[in-house]
Amino acid sequence: MDSITFKRITPRESRIYDADGDHVGDVYRQDDILVPGQVFYVLHLFEDPRGPRRVHDRSRIRDVAQSLFDSHPLF
């Protein structure tokens, strides 16, 4: 299992890097229009045919991103 890291680009966007330092995806913070005052996060790995993943709990972002990376069909 490779370790991933994050780098904040703006208050609403972070980049995901693999253990080699390659940019492999992004995380976006979005306002939840169905629950005013709440946010969710969209994780997207490049060239992932499964598409982006929505995460509501900020503390789960690293685990979900690592799981997506480990099971990515092209990485």
Side-chain angles (χ1 to χ4, degrees):
M1 171 160 75
D2 291 326
S3 179
I4 58 169
T5 58
F6 298 86
K7 181 178 181 183
R8 181 171 289 174
I9 303 305
T10 71
R12 295 189 158 291
E13 179 181 354
S14 296
R15 293 193 176 146
I16 304 171
Y17 296 93
D18 65 9
D20 296 329
D22 296 324
H23 180 200
V24 296
D26 297 303
V27 179
Y28 302 99
R29 178 182 165 179
Q30 301 288 321
D31 294 323
D32 191 339
I33 62 171
L34 299 177
V35 184
Q38 297 292 319
V39 298
F40 63 90
Y41 302 88
V42 177
L43 280 68
H44 179 68
L45 297 181
F46 300 144
E47 299 184 23
D48 191 343
R50 300 168 294 187
R53 180 74 49 98
R54 179 185 285 201
V55 178
H56 290 276
D57 185 359
R58 185 177 184 270
S59 66
R60 295 205 59 239
I61 291 173
R62 180 172 301 280
D63 292 335
V64 172
Q66 186 69 58
S67 175
L68 288 172
F69 182 78
D70 291 342
S71 62
H72 193 291
L74 299 177
F75 292 153

